[in-house]
Amino acid sequence: MKKSVALLATLVMFVGTDISVAAPKVHLRMATTVSSPHVWYLGAEYFAKRVAELSNNEIEVSIHGGGSVGNENAIANGLRLGSLDMMILSFTPLASLVPEGAVFCIPYIFTGYDHNARVMKTGSPVFNLMQKYVERRNVGFKVLATAGGGARCYLNTLRPIVTPEDMKDMKIRTVTNSMTKKIWETVGAVPMAVSATEAYSAMQTGVCNAIEASLALFNSARLCEIAKYLSLSRHEFVVTNISISDLAMRRLSKEHYAVVKKVAEETGEFVTKTGIENDSKLVDLMVQKDALKVNEIDKDAFIKLFTPLQNELAENLAGTKDGLELLNAIRDMAGEEKSENMSVGQNK
């Protein structure tokens, strides 16, 4: 009898010790619309690795990329409903939830890569404004970090774009929100409501014959297989947000949330740095791989056309009165830029 009691006590001690060692994991589902080697996907991989390291493998992150869980709005709604926990996306397609995000679509509000990096640094005045707008609207997620890094350019199947007149009648795939119609009709183009996940098939079938997006998307989505004219307009820059569902936050302990927040901020820096570095290499890569015809644009002609529209677009932004506040905050962070233009066919 005494031996049985002693054996039972030993088993209880063993089981108890085993439970304390095998701490339960927290599983976070992070989604994005792109695939590797896009910088957002690389950022998601960086986030997953660093979170595991800093949490002693107590936090596990699964990455759902390539639009496998839907487009931008589907991902945002997944965070709101709790079917997804985190996202790494642009602000601009989420303008139906956070209207102020459409301001980032206004052409030439950034003077270059350096300006974009300063503005999108986590903790900047613009970051604080976007966080305020998101929280005020109670959208179901919280912005942990922001990032910049990449420039948006024009890719099309018809001809080189040098002046605004060259865009006349082009059916252009773009981020769709309340102001894009006005922007692209200004150059005579026809904006098309096509998500990033559908861009390849839309170009392939002729639904659109032009696309404005990041160099990273052109490469990761293999769009250069179809469209051969790349015009380095750099009319817009990446405005990434790394956000977490309110429901996911409630599941995290104070310690786990601190890890997630810290790594999100690190990931923002990683995405900005990697995006800038990759842009300097992607043009040559796509020329060599896809025989692209690449040209610089008459930037002054485009700036002259779009600058008078900037205040009008920001002031008349549907769903908010704060568009001009955000635009002015971006302008206030402009400074003397390094030479950011990358010569065609030449890495820097």
Side-chain angles (χ1 to χ4, degrees), residues 210-348:
I211 178 171
E212 64 89 26
S214 66
L215 296 171
L217 182 66
F218 294 157
N219 182 52
S220 66
R222 301 182 294 115
L223 292 165
C224 302
E225 296 175 354
I226 305 166
K228 296 300 182 182
Y229 297 99
L230 173 62
S231 302
L232 300 177
S233 57
R234 305 181 186 93
H235 57 281
E236 191 182 320
F237 282 79
V238 171
V239 287
T240 306
N241 81 90
I242 303 168
S243 296
I244 186 168
S245 163
D246 290 347
L247 296 172
M249 278 197 299
R250 295 179 195 137
R251 300 198 331 258
L252 297 177
S253 67
K254 183 179 178 181
E255 293 75 19
H256 284 163
Y257 177 71
V259 169
V260 168
K261 185 173 184 296
K262 172 182 171 58
V263 176
E265 292 173 2
E266 286 183 15
T267 302
E269 294 291 328
F270 171 85
V271 168
T272 297
K273 180 175 182 292
T274 304
I276 292 172
E277 290 173 351
N278 285 355
D279 265 18
S280 69
K281 303 171 185 176
L282 280 173
V283 174
D284 279 355
L285 174 65
M286 291 185 290
V287 166
Q288 293 167 12
K289 184 177 66 173
D290 300 301
L292 283 183
K293 297 179 180 179
V294 186
N295 69 278
E296 296 284 352
I297 68 161
D298 183 350
K299 188 173 179 180
D300 290 341
F302 280 91
I303 291 176
K304 182 178 180 181
L305 180 68
F306 283 124
T307 297
L309 277 178
Q310 290 179 344
N311 279 17
E312 176 190 341
L313 291 170
E315 287 176 337
N316 296 308
L317 198 59
T320 180
K321 296 180 180 179
D322 293 324
L324 194 57
E325 176 187 45
L326 181 60
L327 177 59
N328 286 332
I330 294 168
R331 287 169 170 166
D332 288 344
M333 296 189 70
E336 185 175 350
E337 294 296 311
K338 298 175 184 177
S339 177
E340 84 286 349
N341 285 343
M342 291 163 283
S343 300
V344 175
Q346 180 181 354
N347 287 339
K348 291 189 178 180

Side-chain angles (χ1 to χ4, degrees), residues 53 58 79 115-116 146 156 162 166 184 191 194 208 227 250 263 291 302 310 329:
E53 290 173 353
E58 291 179 3
L79 264 67
H115 182 200
N116 172 247
T146 48
N156 80 91
V162 179
D166 293 323
W184 302 114
V194 176
C208 54
R250 295 179 195 137
V263 176
F302 280 91
Q310 290 179 344

Side-chain angles (χ1 to χ4, degrees), residues 12-37:
V12 169
M13 288 176 61
F14 176 77
V15 172
T17 301
D18 186 57
I19 290 173
S20 65
V21 170
K25 284 187 176 182
V26 174
H27 181 212
L28 296 176
R29 296 151 294 183
M30 175 177 264
T32 186
T33 53
V34 298
S35 305
S36 183

